[in-house]
Amino acid sequence: MKALVLEKKGELALRDIDLPLEVGPDDVKIAIHTVGVCGSDVHYYTHGAIGSFVVREPMVLGHEAAGTITAVGAHVKNLKVGDRVCMEPGVPNMNSRATKLGIYNVDPDVRFWATPPIHGVLTPEVVHPAAFTYKLPENVSFAEGAMVEPFAVGLQAATRARITPGDVAVVIGCGPIGIMTALAALAGGCSRVYISDLSAPKLAIAGQYPGIHPVNITERALKDVIAEETEGWGADVVFEASGSPRAYEGLFDVVRPGGTLVLIGMPVETVKFDVAAAIIKEARLETVFRYANNFDRAVNLIASGKVDLKPLISETFDFAASIEAFDRAAKGLPTDVKLQIRMP
């Protein structure tokens, strides 16, 4: 089967590769339609590793996907051939302590698409457990279905924040996850969300949404904007979605006393964290790693029309142009939010 294969750091190939396609009793087979290009996929391409996950042998990329079921296992009752679906890419050990606690996203044994040594889904067909496969409503497109995975991260962040209706939120970082976190925060009850970044084009994209207020930190300090907008009180919830060490400088100047800080962005280096500032404000700290138990809620929010992810799709490439899509993603163009690849 042809697939987009990361041969090694900096080398991609569209070539045939043998992948398992045997459908077990609890599995479904899916014809892939659309796959999103994620920053982690690009990082494996450009750096060959993310932390302890190192590409040591050829690996198929892609984990944000939607498609159509072509076969179902004998035990599968909730899905059928012809169903349009999206797939949760992380499959935990169902017997692990983490899974039993409902936090399967932090199960050390989780098998996650396009995370070494597990192959991803930039290939025509895949087999996946039905338990982690979700039917798309008729009004949700394949393109939107492939956006459920990154939106689920934002939804996980909003859930961990324990938003109270009317809260004022700040999102630091206007990349795909930052924007989707802002949308999830609004859907979760925030009255308004301020989103900060250095990139004017990305801020303009986020600013299209009612309730999201862009803050260009090259023009004005975020803490000054939030102080003015909250009469010096601070934001109820602050989401750090950039992963930049610089974001931690003066971070607690933005959080209100007793407010919440949710860490989403993954720094590639150790950051300085002002513990005293956190204690003085008795801020609550939450962390986010992927998502758990919210893929269906993400689909429902998109289907309801309360969250519109279509404006975030910057361009769609044919499967034959997959390498071109990754090369463009690696450039990090300020006008790009999400690139997608459509299978033939």
Side-chain angles (χ1 to χ4, degrees):
M1 221 173 21
K2 193 172 286 292
L4 180 67
V5 181
L6 176 59
E7 305 285 7
K8 59 184 180 180
K9 174 184 172 181
E11 183 180 331
L12 289 172
L14 271 173
R15 66 168 174 87
D16 287 330
I17 185 171
D18 288 330
L19 298 170
L21 286 176
E22 181 180 349
V23 180
D26 298 308
D27 296 334
V28 294
K29 183 184 286 187
I30 302 140
I32 299 295
H33 185 283
T34 302
V35 181
V37 179
C38 177
S40 65
D41 296 319
V42 176
H43 199 83
Y44 283 123
Y45 174 36
T46 57
H47 292 76
I50 297 178
S52 61
F53 297 103
V54 181
V55 178
R56 305 187 190 278
E57 55 189 35
M59 179 182 76
V60 178
L61 290 173
H63 64 264
E64 305 173 2
T68 303
I69 292 178
T70 59
V72 298
H75 296 168
V76 177
K77 306 299 181 187
N78 62 317
L79 296 167
K80 65 183 185 302
V81 172
D83 281 347
R84 299 163 58 256
V85 294
C86 64
M87 296 77 76
E88 188 168 352
V91 180
N93 175 350
M94 299 305 288
N95 296 312
S96 74
R97 292 181 69 176
T99 300
K100 290 177 181 178
L101 288 169
I103 51 173
Y104 60 83
N105 53 317
V106 293
D107 175 14
D109 294 333
V110 70
R111 296 171 58 84
F112 199 93
W113 283 340
T115 299
I118 310 302
H119 288 300
V121 295
L122 269 165
T123 188
E125 283 188 310
V126 298
V127 172
H128 200 58
F132 293 91
T133 303
Y134 302 84
K135 187 175 179 179
L136 295 176
E138 288 184 7
N139 66 331
V140 177
S141 67
F142 285 115
E144 291 171 294
M147 295 280 274
V148 170
E149 195 276 340
F151 179 58
V153 178
L155 193 56
Q156 180 84 353
T159 303
R160 295 301 294 263
R162 302 178 212 164
I163 292 166
T164 298
D167 275 353
V168 174
V170 168
V171 177
I172 299 172
C174 196
I177 298 300
I179 297 175
M180 292 192 210
T181 298
L183 292 171
L186 286 174
C190 282
S191 58
R192 60 190 191 275
V193 180
Y194 297 87
I195 188 165
S196 67
D197 206 284
L198 302 162
S199 171
K202 279 190 168 54
L203 289 168
I205 293 168
Q208 297 177 74
Y209 289 99
I212 297 182
H213 304 270
V215 179
N216 190 326
I217 57 174
T218 67
E219 299 172 353
R220 196 173 176 202
L222 177 62
K223 67 176 184 178
D224 293 340
V225 173
I226 300 307
E228 181 177 305
E229 295 292 329
T230 63
E231 299 179 337
W233 178 238
D236 300 292
V237 183
V238 175
F239 300 93
E240 203 308 287
S242 72
S244 169
R246 289 178 296 175
Y248 286 80
E249 298 172 8
L251 186 58
F252 291 98
D253 293 338
V254 184
V255 185
R256 71 162 171 83
T260 301
L261 172 63
V262 183
L263 303 181
I264 313 165
M266 187 87 72
V268 296
E269 57 192 86
T270 302
V271 301
K272 291 183 178 180
F273 189 84
D274 193 339
V275 176
I279 290 174
I280 289 168
K281 285 194 170 178
E282 205 169 75
R284 179 166 58 88
L285 177 65
E286 296 282 351
T287 57
V288 170
F289 183 66
R290 295 172 179 162
Y291 35 74
N293 304 305
N294 68 13
F295 241 67
D296 52 349
R297 292 189 292 125
V299 172
N300 290 342
L301 275 172
I302 295 168
S304 73
K306 292 181 179 179
V307 174
D308 182 10
L309 303 180
K310 295 186 291 294
L312 305 182
I313 302 171
S314 304
E315 189 162 336
T316 303
F317 292 76
D318 290 333
F319 180 52
S322 293
I323 297 175
E324 179 186 341
F326 269 77
D327 285 339
R328 172 159 154 184
K331 293 177 182 177
L333 300 180
T335 51
D336 284 345
V337 177
K338 177 58 65 177
L339 303 179
Q340 292 188 331
I341 296 170
R342 185 179 296 133
M343 304 305 290

